[in-house]
Amino acid sequence: MKFFHLSDLHIGLRLINRDLSEDQEYILRQITDAAVRERPDAILIAGDIYDKAVPSAEAVEVFDRFIAGLTAALPDTSIMLISGNHDSGPRVNCFRSVLSRQNVYMIGLPPVLPEEYIEKVVLADEYGSVNFYLLPFVRPSMVRQIVGTDENGNALGYNETLHRLISREEIDLTQRNVLVSHQFYLPAGRDAGEVERMDSEICTVGNIDRVDADILASFDYCALGHIHKPMQVGSEFCRYCGTPLACSVSEAEQQKGIVMVDLGVKGDRRTTVIPLNPLRQVRVIRGELEEVLRHTCEDYVTTVLTDRADLDVFDIQDRLRSAFPYLLEIRRETLQKNDYSREYLQQEELDPFELCCSFLKLKEDEGDKGEMELLQDVINTVQEVSQG
């Protein structure tokens, strides 16, 4: 059984001030060409089809052309997609039963009632069945009727919710099983802060959405979406494939690709990364102005100017845009950097109340006593909750 693992298409995304529709269509054609060449039995897209829950008409047309091209070129290939945190689950779920008859499985919503289970698509080859479990992005509130609450009647966190939701599936361990999921999985015990996150990702405060990956042990391969940089979660058979196209400057010159998976007899697994080459790279060019201007190119460029002297060049933007037609932004490294660092360190020594008052510019002698008392009550409540 051969299948492609893709995720995080983010169709409709704008890179700072640039419309990426041409770039996205270019990379989607590469994916279609690779599929025609490799003839996979299935193509898995692990969430974040669109960049917005309500995509533009143009974004929907790009996606429609992509799926139409795949189904026309590979009518016997199963296409399986789930919604991610950027997608509207109900929209993705629309026409689910109709599309499944065309070998296209678009699953926008997880099971929400006790009698419902994770959508399972079964394909077969000479070695038997391969079970694909399609689990869209899950918030604990979505599946509360299934997973229940804690001993105090409170909603469960992401980790316990996903463990209970997946554990209730009757997975036949003698067969080959594949999970398609869009969550923030980490090996148990690993600090979420160690994971390099891209600027284009939505990160929760305190990484409350992290899920221990031990729950994934029942699967022969886990096709994960959500993290934009390619990353393994314990092994090459449990991994994030990353975005097919850079979605932020933090992904500059990052090699993107399709993960192609071959499943033989139970236990025989192989992965290969098929490189994807964008229409335009995302690059960061750093140096003094005259040096930067020598690197003229037609990629998406962020320039970081390191000139220590003041740049009294009235046409600096025009010169940079002439050298880089797809200029994204101009950044400056200035001599005042250390001054800002010192100011930050001084503020960091303040207690939470003083820091908030400083930020909000509250002063008791200026009639802000009521606001300051309310602020103190809020801080006290937060500290009590965090401590116990």
Side-chain angles (χ1 to χ4, degrees), residues 236-251:
E236 65 175 298
F237 306 114
C238 183
R239 65 200 291 172
Y240 292 96
C241 63
T243 58
L245 192 69
C247 295
S248 65
V249 176
S250 61
E251 298 163 65

Side-chain angles (χ1 to χ4, degrees), residues 81 189 206 334 358:
L81 311 97
T334 67
S358 175

Side-chain angles (χ1 to χ4, degrees), residues 41-64:
D41 300 288
I43 296 173
L44 316 180
I45 301 178
D48 281 354
I49 299 165
Y50 297 110
D51 190 57
K52 290 180 170 39
V54 183
S56 66
E58 292 78 12
V60 174
E61 289 172 2
V62 170
F63 178 63
D64 178 66

Side-chain angles (χ1 to χ4, degrees), residues 324-339:
F324 309 110
Y326 295 94
L327 182 70
L328 295 175
E329 56 182 344
I330 303 169
R331 300 180 186 175
R332 289 290 310 276
E333 286 186 358
T334 67
L335 290 173
Q336 286 74 35
K337 182 177 180 181
N338 290 335
D339 295 335

